[in-house]
Amino acid sequence: LDAHADPLLIGCTIAIFCASSFFRRGPRAVVVWHGLGVVGGVALLALLVRARFPVDYVHASVSTFAAIASVLVIIASLMPSSPCAAVLRCPPLPWIGRRSYALYLWHYPVFAFAGPLWHPGVATPQTALLAWAVSFALAAASSV
């Protein structure tokens, strides 16, 4: 959707699904969800590496695909002995999660100032890495 409400709606729908009686956690379902979680994780990594911002997010629905892949990882992490849950418990990820809102708030102005957001063809990978480093530093400094 143009307003990017689709990832929020996908998340709400899955929350309702997981609380319903349709959500299965039997042995067969656990194996299926573990597999789907791995597929979702690989898809998220591929989108992170390959998707161009803002072009693919606006015109190719990357945010929708990222939301669907995220849902698969999240549901898989709810399963017993989940490999997705083990990965999500790696120390850097909870640290990022605790600062995610600050990171969300800081990354846009930093990237706008640094240039990768508005001039993706001109910006270098070094500029983007520096913008991410500054965004993380500001998020860490502003989160207590």
Side-chain angles (χ1 to χ4, degrees):
L1 299 173
D2 198 31
H4 299 287
D6 42 335
L8 292 172
L9 294 172
I10 290 167
C12 293
T13 303
I14 292 306
I16 292 168
F17 168 73
C18 288
S20 76
S21 61
F22 295 111
F23 183 50
R24 302 283 183 235
R25 293 182 186 219
R28 186 177 298 160
V30 168
V31 172
V32 170
W33 284 118
H34 284 178
L36 290 172
V38 171
V39 168
V42 170
L44 281 173
L45 288 174
L47 289 172
L48 178 67
V49 171
R50 300 292 300 159
R52 297 166 296 145
F53 187 86
V55 176
D56 290 338
Y57 284 83
V58 174
H59 300 295
S61 301
V62 168
S63 59
T64 304
F65 295 126
I68 292 168
S70 297
V71 159
L72 295 176
V73 171
I74 291 167
I75 292 176
S77 69
L78 298 173
M79 298 295 132
S81 66
S82 169
C84 289
V87 169
L88 292 175
R89 280 191 297 270
C90 290
L93 296 180
W95 185 91
I96 292 170
R98 285 189 294 277
R99 289 154 185 86
S100 62
Y101 187 64
L103 185 61
Y104 163 74
L105 293 175
W106 280 112
H107 89 283
Y108 196 86
V110 169
F111 271 70
F113 180 75
L117 189 60
W118 302 114
H119 308 289
V122 176
T124 64
Q126 294 83 4
T127 309
L129 286 173
L130 179 61
W132 276 116
V134 169
S135 298
F136 271 91
L138 289 168
S142 63
S143 301
V144 178

